[in-house]
Coordinates of all heavy atoms in Angstrom, one line a residue:
R34 N -9.2 1.2 18.8 CA -8.7 0.6 17.5 C -9.8 -0.3 17.0 O -10.4 -1.1 17.7 CB -7.4 -0.3 17.8 CG -6.8 -0.9 16.6 CD -5.6 -1.8 16.8 NE -6.1 -3.0 17.5 CZ -5.5 -3.5 18.6 NH1 -4.5 -2.9 19.2 NH2 -6.0 -4.6 19.2
Y35 N -10.0 -0.2 15.7 CA -10.9 -1.0 14.9 C -10.1 -2.0 14.1 O -9.3 -1.6 13.3 CB -11.8 -0.1 14.0 CG -12.8 -0.9 13.3 CD1 -13.9 -1.5 13.9 CD2 -12.7 -1.1 11.9 CE1 -14.9 -2.2 13.2 CE2 -13.7 -1.8 11.2 CZ -14.8 -2.4 11.8 OH -15.7 -3.1 11.1
D36 N -10.4 -3.3 14.3 CA -9.6 -4.3 13.6 C -10.4 -5.0 12.5 O -11.1 -6.0 12.8 CB -9.2 -5.4 14.6 CG -8.2 -4.9 15.6 OD1 -7.5 -3.9 15.4 OD2 -8.2 -5.5 16.7
G37 N -10.4 -4.5 11.3 CA -11.1 -5.1 10.2 C -11.5 -4.1 9.1 O -11.3 -2.9 9.3
P38 N -12.0 -4.6 8.0 CA -12.4 -3.7 7.0 C -13.7 -2.9 7.4 O -14.5 -3.4 8.2 CB -12.7 -4.6 5.8 CG -12.9 -5.9 6.4 CD -12.1 -6.0 7.7
L39 N -13.8 -1.7 7.0 CA -14.9 -0.8 7.3 C -15.8 -0.7 6.1 O -15.6 0.1 5.2 CB -14.4 0.5 7.8 CG -15.4 1.5 8.3 CD1 -16.3 0.9 9.4 CD2 -14.7 2.7 8.8
F40 N -16.8 -1.6 6.0 CA -17.7 -1.7 4.9 C -19.1 -1.9 5.4 O -19.3 -2.0 6.6 CB -17.2 -2.7 3.9 CG -17.3 -4.1 4.4 CD1 -18.3 -5.0 3.9 CD2 -16.4 -4.6 5.3 CE1 -18.3 -6.3 4.4 CE2 -16.5 -5.9 5.8 CZ -17.4 -6.8 5.3
F41 N -20.0 -1.9 4.4 CA -21.4 -1.9 4.7 C -21.8 -2.9 5.9 O -22.7 -2.6 6.7 CB -22.3 -2.2 3.5 CG -22.2 -3.6 3.0 CD1 -23.1 -4.5 3.4 CD2 -21.2 -4.0 2.1 CE1 -23.1 -5.8 2.9 CE2 -21.1 -5.3 1.7 CZ -22.0 -6.2 2.0
A42 N -21.2 -4.1 5.9 CA -21.6 -5.1 6.9 C -21.2 -4.8 8.3 O -21.8 -5.2 9.3 CB -21.1 -6.5 6.5
G43 N -20.1 -4.0 8.5 CA -19.6 -3.7 9.8 C -19.6 -2.3 10.2 O -19.2 -2.0 11.3
A44 N -20.1 -1.4 9.4 CA -20.1 0.0 9.7 C -20.9 0.4 11.0 O -20.4 1.1 11.8 CB -20.6 0.8 8.5
D45 N -22.1 -0.1 11.1 CA -22.9 0.2 12.2 C -22.4 -0.4 13.5 O -22.5 0.1 14.6 CB -24.4 -0.1 12.0 CG -25.1 0.8 11.1 OD1 -24.6 2.0 11.0 OD2 -26.1 0.4 10.4
Y46 N -21.7 -1.6 13.3 CA -21.1 -2.3 14.4 C -20.0 -1.4 15.1 O -19.9 -1.3 16.3 CB -20.5 -3.6 14.0 CG -19.7 -4.3 15.0 CD1 -20.3 -5.0 16.1 CD2 -18.3 -4.3 15.0 CE1 -19.5 -5.6 17.1 CE2 -17.5 -4.9 16.0 CZ -18.2 -5.6 17.0 OH -17.4 -6.2 18.0
L47 N -19.2 -0.8 14.2 CA -18.1 0.1 14.7 C -18.8 1.2 15.6 O -18.3 1.5 16.7 CB -17.4 0.8 13.6 CG -16.5 1.9 13.9 CD1 -15.3 1.5 14.9 CD2 -15.9 2.6 12.7
V48 N -19.8 1.9 15.1 CA -20.5 2.9 15.8 C -21.0 2.4 17.1 O -20.8 3.1 18.2 CB -21.6 3.6 14.9 CG1 -22.4 4.5 15.7 CG2 -21.0 4.2 13.7
Q49 N -21.7 1.3 17.1 CA -22.2 0.8 18.4 C -21.2 0.4 19.4 O -21.3 0.7 20.6 CB -23.1 -0.5 18.1 CG -24.3 -0.2 17.3 CD -24.9 -1.5 16.7 OE1 -24.4 -2.6 16.9 NE2 -26.0 -1.3 15.9
R50 N -20.1 -0.2 19.0 CA -19.0 -0.5 19.9 C -18.3 0.7 20.4 O -18.0 0.7 21.6 CB -18.0 -1.5 19.2 CG -18.5 -2.8 18.9 CD -18.8 -3.6 20.2 NE -17.6 -3.6 21.1 CZ -17.6 -3.4 22.4 NH1 -18.8 -3.2 23.1 NH2 -16.5 -3.4 23.1
V51 N -18.1 1.7 19.6 CA -17.4 2.9 20.1 C -18.3 3.6 21.1 O -17.9 4.0 22.2 CB -17.1 3.9 18.9 CG1 -16.7 5.3 19.5 CG2 -16.0 3.3 18.1
N52 N -19.6 3.6 20.9 CA -20.6 4.2 21.8 C -20.6 3.4 23.1 O -20.6 4.0 24.2 CB -22.0 4.2 21.3 CG -22.2 5.3 20.3 OD1 -21.4 6.3 20.3 ND2 -23.1 5.2 19.4
A53 N -20.5 2.1 23.1 CA -20.4 1.3 24.3 C -19.2 1.6 25.1 O -19.2 1.5 26.3 CB -20.5 -0.2 23.9
L54 N -18.1 1.9 24.4 CA -16.9 2.2 25.2 C -16.9 3.7 25.7 O -16.3 3.9 26.8 CB -15.6 2.1 24.2 CG -15.3 0.7 23.8 CD1 -14.2 0.7 22.7 CD2 -14.8 -0.2 25.0
V55 N -17.6 4.5 25.1 CA -17.7 6.0 25.5 C -18.6 6.1 26.7 O -18.3 6.8 27.6 CB -18.2 6.8 24.3 CG1 -18.6 8.2 24.8 CG2 -17.2 6.9 23.2
T56 N -19.8 5.5 26.7 CA -20.8 5.7 27.7 C -20.3 5.6 29.1 O -20.6 6.5 29.9 CB -22.0 4.8 27.5 OG1 -22.5 5.0 26.2 CG2 -23.1 4.9 28.5
P57 N -19.5 4.6 29.5 CA -19.1 4.5 30.9 C -18.1 5.6 31.3 O -17.8 5.8 32.4 CB -18.5 3.1 31.0 CG -18.4 2.5 29.7 CD -19.2 3.4 28.8
R58 N -17.5 6.2 30.3 CA -16.4 7.2 30.6 C -17.0 8.5 31.1 O -16.4 9.3 31.7 CB -15.6 7.5 29.3 CG -14.9 6.3 28.7 CD -13.7 5.8 29.6 NE -12.7 6.8 29.8 CZ -11.7 7.0 29.0 NH1 -11.6 6.3 27.9 NH2 -10.8 8.0 29.3
G59 N -18.3 8.8 30.7 CA -19.0 10.0 31.2 C -18.5 11.3 30.6 O -17.8 11.3 29.6

Side-chain angles (χ1 to χ4, degrees):
R34 184 182 68 227
Y35 181 73
D36 296 335
L39 186 53
F40 65 108
F41 72 94
D45 286 335
Y46 172 76
L47 167 65
V48 171
Q49 292 166 1
R50 289 296 305 137
V51 168
N52 284 339
L54 292 170
V55 167
T56 300
R58 300 291 299 275

